[in-house]
Amino acid sequence: MMGAEKGSTFFIHTFGCQMNQADSGIITALFQAEGYVQAEKELDAGIVLLNTCAVRENAVDRVEHFLQRLQGRKKREKGLIVGVAGCIPQYKREEMFSLYPAIDFLAGPDTYRTIPLLVEQVRRGGKLASLELNSKETYEGVEPVRDGVTSAFVPVMRGCNNRCAYCVVPFTRGRERSQPFSSVMLEVQKLVASGYREITLLGQNVNSYWDVEHGYDFSALLDAVSREAPKARIRFTTSHPKDISESLVRAIASRPNICNALHLPVQSGSSRMLGRMHRGHTIEEYMEKIALIRSIIPDVTLSTDIIAGFCGEQEEDHQASLALLSNVRFDSAYMFFYSTRPGTLAAETLEDDVPEAVKKRRLQEIIDLQNQISSSLFHEAIGTVVEVLAESESRRSTERLMGRTAGNRTVVFDREHHQPGDLLHVRITGATSATLTGQSVPQVP
Ligand code: 5AD
Ligand code: SF4
């Protein structure tokens, strides 16, 4: 950043999912291609961009808080440019300008390419929005700028053609479209050449991947990526349970470097609620998929997303969600209480009738149960030796490193001579419901 004028420096705050993190890397590349320089911290930047998530109300509240603070900064600092990108502007559109006076420009998930131009136009005066959805935009040819040198996200498809009743994603990210196979493979080759040790293929619905050039599906893509990067761990997210095929499960099982970990959002343990949510499967069908996966990959670790208090949820539906958690014993779960999103099918046609206190009580019961399950699964690992990819220094101490097992469990261990990026063996000596702790050992005994 040495020597760069403040007006040509930018800083991005990223909210939300891994896709948003990957998108911030794309936006960074687009800025840099126009000569802008990434600032190390927000205060050094003349352009501040919030890359946002609209999936739940509280994600929107956090962004609101940032915009209020930036409004204060703008009063003191003439010339500061504030933009909001991603799902919130696509969802709330021009209304954002009147709600939050700090904003100079808005860009949706399909218009990141216009951002440098928007900045130039804002400098000439006015406020601008670029919010068209474009079901052809895959950002092919833009090489995202990545934070670390160990793990890389590779978006392979964007958008979602499902219509889950609670979800804004189909509105904010539009129709599904896939990155051509040749372009994914080119990116993977570059990552291998740069020494990346972990590649995560991303999409709202990765199982819908479809390559228009050769007709390859997601199993074929996953298999090809794992062969192109045989020394890297390969992960992917997110899969819709209804689209998990036996060929995909077999592809995971047959390739040693595809991690035996699956994130399979269930949303509710009650078929009645799944029907109201328009998930396209019953809980029995979900359990059949789990049985299939476990029969082919016995050591698989499973994680999920679950929503408490969706419209019309009765106590017995909630009990069914608790029973599901006990039956499946997920390694971990993202747990939310339902927040109504205007414009979605649920907001238009169903009553948000579970009182907030009940939603929160049910969510707490779900969290408590899942924590017990995670904790007991993690304690079972004590005494075993696991393979860990070291990612970074641990949050608490530079003497310890943080890494992950192939099953996506977080492990904190004494650093000794190791560096982020090392693949090593760790003997597990302790566990909580979220983390394993241990010491590295020379090799698997
Ligand atoms: N309220 C609560 N949780 C939601 N999710 C999506 N929409 C909502 C909503 N309106 C959750 C789902 C999804 C995850 C990304 O966010 O569990 O899988
Ligand atoms: Fe939303 Fe359902 Fe699409 Fe997931 S699959 S992004 S929950 S609509």
Side-chain angles (χ1 to χ4, degrees), residues 246-267:
E246 185 166 339
S247 76
L248 176 69
V249 183
R250 293 208 180 276
I252 302 169
S254 67
R255 298 287 314 149
N257 61 329
I258 303 178
C259 291
N260 290 348
L262 261 174
H263 183 64
L264 216 52
V266 66
Q267 316 298 0

Side-chain angles (χ1 to χ4, degrees), residues 55-56 166-167 265 267 305-307 336-341:
V55 91
R56 284 172 299 277
Y166 49 79
C167 187
Q267 316 298 0
D305 292 351
I306 193 158
I307 301 175
F336 315 102
F337 62 81
Y338 172 63
S339 69
T340 187
R341 313 305 291 128

Side-chain angles (χ1 to χ4, degrees), residues 18 150-157 184 188 191 196-203 206-207 218 221-223 225-227 229-239 248 251-252 255-263 299-303 331-332 334 386-391 402-411 422-423:
Q18 292 168 325
T150 304
S151 297
F153 293 133
V154 177
V156 298
M157 60 82 62
V184 175
V188 169
L191 293 171
Y196 280 88
R197 306 299 301 268
E198 181 176 70
I199 296 174
T200 304
L201 306 183
L202 289 184
V206 284
N207 300 102
F218 186 65
L221 178 78
L222 192 61
D223 187 79
V225 167
S226 78
R227 288 173 200 275
K231 295 211 181 90
R233 283 180 170 180
I234 311 298
R235 299 185 190 279
F236 58 93
T237 197
T238 291
S239 310
L248 176 69
I252 302 169
R255 298 287 314 149
N257 61 329
I258 303 178
C259 291
N260 290 348
L262 261 174
H263 183 64
D299 66 342
V300 70
T301 55
L302 298 166
S303 54
D331 225 60
S332 64
Y334 295 99
V386 293
E387 194 178 53
V388 175
L389 177 60
E391 280 175 24
M402 185 288 266
R404 253 173 254 270
T405 66
N408 220 7
R409 293 177 171 177
T410 303
V411 184
D422 288 357
L423 194 63

Side-chain angles (χ1 to χ4, degrees), residues 160-164 166-170 204-205 240 267 279:
C160 180
N161 289 358
N162 293 319
R163 281 286 178 272
C164 300
Y166 49 79
C167 187
V168 292
V169 167
Q204 266 77 37
N205 216 353
H240 194 301
Q267 316 298 0
R279 288 290 286 171

Side-chain angles (χ1 to χ4, degrees), residues 70-280:
L70 284 165
Q71 175 67 10
R73 221 190 116 184
K74 271 189 111 162
K75 285 199 185 116
R76 296 187 299 275
E77 221 175 303
K78 295 280 167 259
L80 177 69
I81 294 180
V82 174
V84 182
C87 288
I88 295 182
Q90 195 65 47
Y91 181 51
K92 297 201 171 220
R93 308 192 65 89
E94 281 82 354
E95 180 199 6
M96 299 281 291
F97 288 127
S98 49
L99 288 174
Y100 312 107
I103 302 174
D104 295 302
F105 71 90
L106 301 171
D110 287 344
T111 57
Y112 300 145
R113 287 184 201 266
T114 66
I115 289 177
L117 196 66
L118 291 173
V119 169
E120 264 179 52
Q121 290 176 335
V122 164
R123 285 232 164 89
R124 283 188 235 123
K127 294 183 180 255
L128 289 152
S130 169
L131 297 168
E132 299 75 37
L133 284 174
N134 171 4
S135 63
K136 294 208 167 54
E137 181 60 276
T138 61
Y139 297 103
E140 191 183 353
V142 182
E143 206 174 315
V145 174
R146 298 187 164 88
D147 280 346
V149 291
T150 304
S151 297
F153 293 133
V154 177
V156 298
M157 60 82 62
R158 308 173 67 88
C160 180
N161 289 358
N162 293 319
R163 281 286 178 272
C164 300
Y166 49 79
C167 187
V168 292
V169 167
F171 302 92
T172 62
R173 289 194 169 261
R175 307 290 293 166
E176 290 170 358
R177 73 295 303 247
S178 296
Q179 189 80 250
F181 180 81
S182 53
S183 142
V184 175
M185 295 312 280
L186 197 67
E187 200 166 335
V188 169
Q189 282 156 12
K190 286 185 189 154
L191 293 171
V192 171
S194 316
Y196 280 88
R197 306 299 301 268
E198 181 176 70
I199 296 174
T200 304
L201 306 183
L202 289 184
Q204 266 77 37
N205 216 353
V206 284
N207 300 102
S208 302
Y209 178 83
W210 184 253
D211 164 53
V212 283
E213 287 171 351
H214 314 85
Y216 293 133
D217 67 2
F218 186 65
S219 319
L221 178 78
L222 192 61
D223 187 79
V225 167
S226 78
R227 288 173 200 275
E228 194 64 47
K231 295 211 181 90
R233 283 180 170 180
I234 311 298
R235 299 185 190 279
F236 58 93
T237 197
T238 291
S239 310
H240 194 301
K242 74 177 165 51
D243 302 323
I244 287 279
S245 62
E246 185 166 339
S247 76
L248 176 69
V249 183
R250 293 208 180 276
I252 302 169
S254 67
R255 298 287 314 149
N257 61 329
I258 303 178
C259 291
N260 290 348
L262 261 174
H263 183 64
L264 216 52
V266 66
Q267 316 298 0
S268 169
S270 151
S271 292
R272 195 178 74 86
M273 297 313 292
L274 293 175
R276 304 195 96 196
M277 290 173 166
H278 285 242
R279 288 290 286 171

